[in-house]
Amino acid sequence: MDRSMLNHRTTQSERDRTRWVTGAGRYTADIAVPDALSATFLRSPHAHAEIVSIDIGTALAMPGVIAVLTGADCAEAGFGNFRGLMRYGADGPHPLIVPFRPVLAHERVRHVGEAVACVVATSESAALDASEAIAVTYRDLPAVIGIDAAGKADAPAIHPPAPGNLAFAHQAGDAAAVRAAFDAAASVVATAFGLPRLAPTTMELRGIIARYDEAAGIYHLITPHQGINEIRADLAAVLNVPEARISIELPDVGGGFGARSPAYPEHAALLLAARRTGRAVRWVASRSEAFMTDYYGRSTRLAGRLALDGAGRFTGLEITYETDLGAYITTVGAFVNVHNPLMSGGGTYGIPAIALNFRQYFTNTGPIGPYRGAGRPDVALLIERLVDRAATALGADQLELRRLNAIPRAAFPYRTVLGSTYDSADYSALIDAVHRASAWDGFAARRKEAQARGRLRGRGVALFTEIAGGGAATRDEARVVLGVTGGRAIARIETVTGGSGQSQAETYAFILAERLGMDPADIELAASPAHSTLNGGGSIGSRSTLSAGSAIADAGDQLRRHLLAAAGLRANAPPAELVMAEGAICRSDGSVVLTLAEAIASTDAPLDVVGAVPVSSSFPSGCHVAEVEIDPQTGLAVLVSYFAIDDSGVVLNPIVAEGQIHGGIVQGLGEVFGEAMQYDETGQILTGSFMDYTMPRAADVPNFVTEDRPTASPNNPLGVKGLGEAGTTGALAAAANAFADALAMVGAELPAFPCTAHSIWRSIRAAASG
């Protein structure tokens, strides 16, 4: 989308896209650091074992080796614990347990790939050779793999403070009201499933360049992240220093998905190495290391029951939501699997009684963290599977049953029984739009035609909502500085968000340009600069435009008022009678009072303002329909069509918004069709490469049909809602329902996720054998 006003001058985001597709991106691995040392990590081959001894003598004596760090060095450095945030259950019977997580394993290892030692040498090859010379003696301990194993009475304890490996338990909602609803129900449907652990598999591997300024006592990092405030706070907790002593530079980021937002042990290890050696130290993960140690997504198990009255209205919902946290707590890995499901725990339906039961466990696997959707797709899938089961039991049309129970537009803002307030929506309009776009009434003919070709055709729908925005900060801030260069008005925006392909610079420029009458090409974004002390969250939780964008709008409004007041004195006219457009301040008749550059140059005060807005949330929604075809002889499934009707509030940058929806859909489909981190009973990873871990490819998905049916959010001045994760939330449920619908034609059940050809074939064969 081109909003440039003069000769199609390119915006910052357009220039960035050109850099990225021509190979000119500046990622961590591309940054040259003269005389930097190289680091490698010796990692545990065991899922659970005591460390009996570590002998680093031979490694230290090898050519080029400068230092070898172990857990003892981290303990000597006085490292603290990684943060684990949770705002629920603190007064309950089982609040969140956050055991100590060492930067380098000390006394015990708890998952395959956990870092045991960090070797620093003059070259990567020297560091790798030395890491192989470290002699570690382990004493094997039984591994705990999976929720069922973790909860057994005789399961080995992974952390002594967590008996039974239970990290957290919490009940929410009104259990008594739910019991009454089920007692009075005309019908009840139930479902249960597990969502496997997912590897984030970013295009760019994690990379770190660390320095330490001894004179100033400042730690310096160059590393990809999704916003400076979270990662800086994480590292301050581990390093036991004030945040002001940590400077983090943001290069280009080749994929985020939530996995880039928290700090990792490797960040702290390299900072310690830089401090010990007095030199810059760099490390770039291998793909194998990424599969072992990048914070995973999902790893949840859900069960639910839905009560209906005689008219088909939903009267009660009961949800059990369990999470396999892995070996350690990450900053928000536990939190997002409670907060996000709670905020949209009733979906798009006005269910009067809801109860949720949360349980989270430690296992001997890598830790989970936030991953695109972060609990929202999980609970949306549960609700939408229950609604489809209800439609089947009642013989009702899937869309019409959803329409009957959907919250009406007139009820917004809508306070749910779980305590969240949905801002705005028109679910009936979404249903109408997807009914038309998907040729809903023609499905029977399409299914019949597929049967003639020996295929099972299924259709799935998801009517969903999810929370977007919010966060730990009390307000979001953005700085805007105006200046003049070469006779043109220019602006610099500073935010604490860090983009990874969302074209934030362009969208933010559109927001500011509209208020000041500027060319967006003259507006630059400094995303999450290392020196920033602004409040706010990062590019997480589908919040960037809602939060930073609204703060930019506030800053723009402040500057607009100032400049119009100054121009009003010049024109002897009330500021309300002046307009700012196309680089000038004009009277209502179009005559120019001042160019914007002249107005900026003539002001006495520096045009440097911080815009701020209270942290707020929004509830994007959508109605998605997927159709699949299955070959019953082989189990091979093909997605033949996909329709996404979304309410993302006011859309400021339609092309970028569509790209975000597309990307989210593909990640949701990947989870249904093939993605899963799998382990054997000893905790060894079975899917640790792209030879084993199935990623969706372009040929696996059809051309999507996407449409906007926006309702403006009243919760922010722009009227926007989050959209970065909606595609994933809708796709997971819609595709799963499509698989279930196709398999029902032959009496087969939806297999465990992912729905691979083999698992589908087995389900069909099981149904055929009775």
Side-chain angles (χ1 to χ4, degrees), residues 449-462:
E449 186 275 333
Q451 281 183 290
R453 293 185 281 107
R455 299 293 186 268
L456 308 176
R457 188 167 184 129
R459 175 179 63 184
V461 60

Side-chain angles (χ1 to χ4, degrees), residues 289-372:
E289 287 180 295
F291 271 110
M292 287 191 291
T293 62
D294 281 6
Y295 295 152
Y296 301 108
R298 306 295 185 261
S299 195
T300 57
R301 188 169 70 182
L302 285 78
R305 296 193 302 153
L306 179 66
L308 298 91
D309 65 16
R313 294 190 178 274
F314 308 154
T315 58
L317 175 63
E318 179 183 71
I319 296 173
T320 298
Y321 191 116
E322 297 177 297
T323 308
D324 176 348
L325 296 173
Y328 298 104
I329 303 291
T330 61
T331 309
V332 297
F335 172 72
V336 296
N337 279 291
V338 179
H339 177 72
N340 290 345
L342 270 177
M343 291 299 99
S344 54
T348 56
Y349 311 108
I351 304 174
I354 305 175
L356 295 95
N357 181 28
F358 295 97
R359 295 178 73 84
Q360 302 185 339
Y361 295 90
F362 292 114
T363 64
N364 290 121
T365 55
I368 69 159
Y371 175 78
R372 200 168 193 167

Side-chain angles (χ1 to χ4, degrees), residues 33 41 113 145 180 217 264 269 335 519 528 595 743:
V33 182
F41 289 92
I145 307 300
Y264 285 78
F335 172 72
D519 188 331
S528 212
T595 67
L743 291 170

Side-chain angles (χ1 to χ4, degrees), residues 61-100:
M62 294 180 68
V65 175
I66 305 299
V68 178
L69 303 179
T70 67
D73 295 292
C74 298
E76 181 184 337
F79 279 178
N81 198 11
F82 286 84
R83 299 189 305 159
L85 306 182
M86 178 62 73
R87 68 177 67 160
Y88 300 96
D91 299 325
H94 207 298
L96 181 66
I97 295 170
V98 185
F100 186 80

Side-chain angles (χ1 to χ4, degrees), residues 198-201 256-259 295-298 336 369-377 667-668 671 675 693 725 728:
L198 301 180
T201 55
F257 316 131
Y295 295 152
Y296 301 108
R298 306 295 185 261
V336 296
Y371 175 78
R372 200 168 193 167
R376 305 169 185 89
Q667 285 191 261
E671 188 167 354
E675 289 192 60
Y693 188 90
E725 293 160 294
T728 304

Side-chain angles (χ1 to χ4, degrees), residues 583-597:
I585 300 175
C586 306
R587 298 179 179 87
S588 56
D589 63 3
S591 58
V592 175
V593 177
L594 291 167
T595 67
L596 186 56

